[in-house]
């Protein structure tokens, strides 16, 4: 029996050594092995220990155990080979995925590469965008992402800004970027072929996002040839505002629907009479000393009886309609009756100051930005209201502000300018900050309430209630600049005694002059 056990033990030791040498293939470095330590074959030491424990067993039992061990070892080898084969396709797939990810990362990095350039931005006084410290802060953020694009800024005002741009166009020294509205960027400079078509910025996603807020914004930024000469940042509606305490004292507040902040043309006239009876010196001034803030006088005239300043196609001026004539005649009638007054020597800025001083009971040129600007001066409650109308609801003039690029023919500068527009307008973090600086509302629906959680939240919520009243953006009708001058000239004429129909016909003729 001992003679039989010795050869068997020797055989088992030789077999264990052979098994120990047969280890699974090393997995690819591109993907981790799925095999765990518990799946590896038993070690030589463990098998030797088991063999020694069975030295007293019967010969047949020992032989059977040896055969069983061999069978299990072979099964283990087959299982390992199978796992190794099945791992290869997975490892290859993971390797391909990593390769694709690296390619995508390289492509994305390449898409952000912009040639070094120095560009100039001209901006009109739109909220805090007139403040160098604010704008410099935005540029610093932009340079964190695009350090090779340098941005210089020049600040314009509305008294001489248009003349500066006109002079620059004639001299060939226009800025690369300019911030303003469609009436300048689209229907003026764009229509004259001075601007770059920004249609590549108007992606499907951006267009849908902006349309969700207002299709009028999209239409306003696109010229009749289909080119987009403006990429919008923000928008608002312009309203009136009243001295609430003065109206309460005159018992005139009852003529305003305080829930919707609207009133009818008839109730507006009643309020004017109540103010006069209360000995209020000046209730409202129709300023006509220039074009500054003329959206206020236009909104008053068009809303009274539903007149339209242009046709739906924005191809013709139409304020000489029966509705328009009726409205201007009513203003002249109120002026003669002492219910309102006119002043050919002032513009909106002057009228706003008179309102802030408490000298006049109403202003025709109010919005969220003006409320913030005059907050430190007023000693009463400025109460924003819509313009009076005899229609189902008022149609308020809207303001749209954004960016355009003058066509310098310098591709590097144009590309750099587009990157700046995208950063300040579309970036998830910077976009809302850029909008808050204007004091207006986002054109992108996805930005939501950018004032949530700020000290301006409640105040801006009030102005947000007027947004559904935004009317047609007729500012893009050809002859916009000519129309503005013709408008205040017409007002001076009718208050001076000129026939209203004749004066409005002349206004339309001058506005339509090519």
């Amino acid at each position: 029996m001992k003679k039989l056990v010795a050869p068997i033990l020797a055989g088992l030791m030789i077999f264990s050594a052979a098994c120990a040498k047969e280890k699974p293939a090393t997995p690819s470095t591109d993907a981790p092995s799925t095999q765990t330590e518990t799946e590896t074959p038993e070690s030589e030491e463990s098998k030797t220990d088991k063999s020694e424990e069975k030295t007293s067993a019967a010969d047949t039992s020992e032989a059977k155990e040896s055969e069983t061990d061999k069978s299990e070892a072979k099964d283990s080898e087959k299982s390992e080979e199978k796992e190794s084969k099945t791992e290869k396709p997975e490892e290859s797939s993971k390797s391909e995925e990593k390769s694709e990810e690296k390619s995508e990362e390289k492509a994305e990095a390449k898409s952000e590469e912009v040639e070094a350039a120095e560009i100039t931005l001209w901006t009109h006084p739109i909220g805090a965008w007139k403040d160098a410290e604010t704008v410099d802060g935005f540029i610093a953020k932009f340079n964190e992402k695009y350090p090779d694009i340098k941005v210089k800024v020049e600040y314009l005002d509305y008294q001489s800004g248009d003349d500066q741009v006109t002079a620059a166009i004639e001299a060939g020294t226009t800025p690369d970027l300019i911030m303003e509205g469609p009436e300048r960027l689209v229907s003026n400079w764009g229509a004259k072929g001075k601007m770059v078509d920004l249609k590549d910025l108007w992606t499907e996603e951006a267009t849908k996002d902006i349309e969700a807020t207002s299709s009028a914004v999209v239409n306003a930024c696109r010229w009749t040839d289909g080119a987009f000469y403006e990429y919008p940042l923000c928008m608002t509606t312009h309203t009136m505002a009243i001295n609430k305490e003065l109206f309460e004292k005159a018992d005139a507040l009852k003529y305003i629907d305080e829930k919707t902040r609207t009133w009818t043309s008839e109730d507006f006239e009643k309020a004017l009479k109540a103010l006069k009876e209360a000995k209020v010196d000046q209730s409202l001034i129709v300023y006509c000393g220039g074009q500054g803030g003329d959206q206020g006088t236009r909104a008053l005239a068009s809303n009274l009886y539903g007149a339209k300043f242009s046709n739906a196609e924005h191809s013709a001026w139409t304020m000489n309609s029966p509705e328009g004539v009726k409205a201007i005649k009513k203003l002249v009638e109120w002026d003669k009756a002492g219910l309102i007054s006119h002043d050919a020597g002032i513009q909106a800025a002057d009228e706003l100051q008179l309102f802030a001083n408490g000298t006049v009971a109403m202003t025709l040129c109010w919005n969220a930005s003006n409320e913030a600007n005059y907050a430190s001066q007023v000693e009463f409650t400025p109460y924003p209201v819509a313009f009076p109308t005899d229609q189902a609801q008022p149609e308020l003039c809207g303001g749209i502000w954004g960016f355009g690029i003058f066509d310098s023919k310098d591709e590097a500068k144009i590309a750099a300018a587009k990157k700046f527009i995208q950063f300040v307008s579309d970036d998830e973090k910077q976009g809302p900050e850029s909008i808050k600086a204007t004091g207006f509302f986002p054109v992108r629906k996805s930005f939501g309430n950018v004032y949530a959680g700020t000290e301006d939240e409640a105040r801006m919520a009030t102005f947000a209630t007027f947004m559904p009243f935004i009317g047609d953006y007729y500012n893009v009708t050809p002859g916009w600049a000519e129309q503005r001058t013709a408008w205040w000239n017409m007002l001076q004429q009718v208050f001076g005694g000129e026939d209203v129909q004749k004066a409005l016909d002349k206004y339309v003729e001058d506005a339509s002059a090519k």
Side-chain angles (χ1 to χ4, degrees), residues 83-96:
E83 288 177 6
S84 178
K85 288 179 181 179
T86 57
E87 284 172 6
K88 288 180 181 179
E90 182 180 350
E91 292 164 3
S92 176
S93 175
K94 290 182 179 179
S95 178
E96 290 174 1

Side-chain angles (χ1 to χ4, degrees), residues 126-129 234-236 367-369 372 434-441 451 459-460 463:
I126 304 162
W129 277 84
C234 62
M235 64 184 296
T236 195
N367 53 44
S369 181
S434 301
I435 294 160
K436 283 189 284 187
T438 68
F440 299 130
F441 299 95
Y451 298 99
R459 185 177 70 84
M460 294 305 293
F463 286 96

Side-chain angles (χ1 to χ4, degrees), residues 334-356:
W334 287 339
D335 180 62
K336 289 179 178 179
L339 297 179
I340 66 172
S341 61
H342 73 278
D343 195 328
I346 67 172
Q347 299 182 44
D350 307 296
E351 184 250 24
L352 280 165
Q353 191 60 62
L354 291 172
F355 177 68

Side-chain angles (χ1 to χ4, degrees), residues 129 138 142 177-179 198 201-202 205-206 209-210 230-234 401-404 417-436 438 441-447 450:
W129 277 84
F138 294 162
F142 173 70
L177 273 166
I178 190 161
M179 184 181 187
L198 304 179
L201 300 185
W202 284 84
E205 179 273 329
D209 202 5
I210 296 170
E230 176 166 346
Y231 193 75
L233 171 68
C234 62
W401 294 271
F403 300 91
K418 287 182 179 180
K419 288 298 181 185
F420 182 83
I421 292 174
Q422 288 178 306
F423 177 76
V424 298
S425 303
D426 295 341
D427 185 84
E428 291 183 358
K429 291 184 178 179
Q430 179 58 45
E433 295 303 315
S434 301
I435 294 160
K436 283 189 284 187
T438 68
F441 299 95
V443 295
R444 274 184 172 269
K445 187 74 171 179
S446 62
F447 280 167
V450 298

Side-chain angles (χ1 to χ4, degrees), residues 271-323:
L272 292 175
K273 291 178 179 179
L275 291 169
K276 184 178 180 180
E277 291 173 3
K279 308 299 182 183
V280 173
D281 292 334
Q282 287 185 298
S283 59
L284 178 147
I285 303 173
V286 178
Y287 47 87
C288 47
Q291 68 181 33
D294 57 355
Q295 75 275 0
T297 55
R298 285 186 278 111
L300 176 63
S302 62
N303 272 282
L304 281 175
Y305 301 111
K308 303 292 184 183
F309 262 85
S310 77
N311 59 9
E313 298 74 27
H314 301 144
S315 61
W317 298 101
T318 59
M319 195 59 187
N320 58 345
S321 64
E323 295 83 4

Side-chain angles (χ1 to χ4, degrees), residues 121-156:
L121 164 68
W122 286 8
T123 175
H124 286 75
I126 304 162
W129 277 84
K130 65 179 180 293
D131 177 58
E133 184 178 354
T134 298
V135 178
D136 287 346
F138 294 162
I139 293 172
K141 290 292 184 181
F142 173 70
N143 284 146
E144 289 178 7
K145 188 172 184 179
Y146 300 103
D148 295 329
I149 300 177
K150 307 305 177 185
V151 185
K152 292 185 176 180
V153 187
E154 183 169 335
Y155 300 90
L156 307 178

